[in-house]
């Protein structure tokens, strides 16, 4: 199992129902991997309402998307921690 933890900081506001993403690059990632994702914490003191998704998985990288479904707009510089594992 390859795994990690990412701290993502928004560069601008993120409206409710909008998303932001990050690319994880590693020669250990294969396009046949399944991803397990969870939200570790956030600077808005709220872990629920974030939906983590593995949108694209290819040899060498994966695109991880986080959907803001908190019911409100995230402020600029909001930090969200995403835990991931490639299985």
């Amino acid at each position: 199992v390859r795994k990690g933890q990412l701290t993502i900081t928004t560069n601008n506001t993120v409206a409710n129902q909008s998303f932001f993403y990050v690319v994880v690059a590693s020669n250990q990632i294969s396009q046949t991997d399944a991803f397990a994702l969870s939200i570790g914490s956030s600077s808005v003191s709220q872990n629920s309402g974030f939906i983590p998704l593995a949108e694209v998985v290819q040899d060498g990288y994966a695109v991880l998307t986080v959907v803001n479904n908190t019911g409100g707009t995230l402020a600029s510089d909001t930090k969200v921690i995403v835990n991931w594992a490639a299985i």
Side-chain angles (χ1 to χ4, degrees):
V1 175
R2 285 104 29 219
K3 61 183 178 177
Q5 186 176 72
L6 303 167
T7 300
I8 303 168
T9 304
T10 61
N11 192 32
N12 208 336
T13 59
V14 180
N16 189 50
Q17 301 294 314
S18 294
F19 65 92
F20 49 97
Y21 66 92
V22 63
V23 176
V24 176
S26 170
N27 63 2
Q28 298 295 309
I29 295 174
S30 171
Q31 76 179 56
T32 58
D33 286 338
F35 269 73
L37 302 167
S38 69
I39 300 297
S41 65
S42 71
S43 61
V44 292
S45 301
Q46 180 173 339
N47 296 355
S48 62
F50 293 105
I51 303 169
L53 305 165
E55 295 279 0
V56 177
V57 179
Q58 293 293 325
D59 290 339
Y61 73 93
V63 178
L64 307 182
T65 303
V66 178
V67 180
N68 173 19
N69 199 24
T70 61
T73 298
L74 301 179
S76 185
D77 295 328
T78 296
K79 292 183 181 359
V80 178
I81 296 174
V82 178
N83 300 308
W84 66 272
I87 305 167

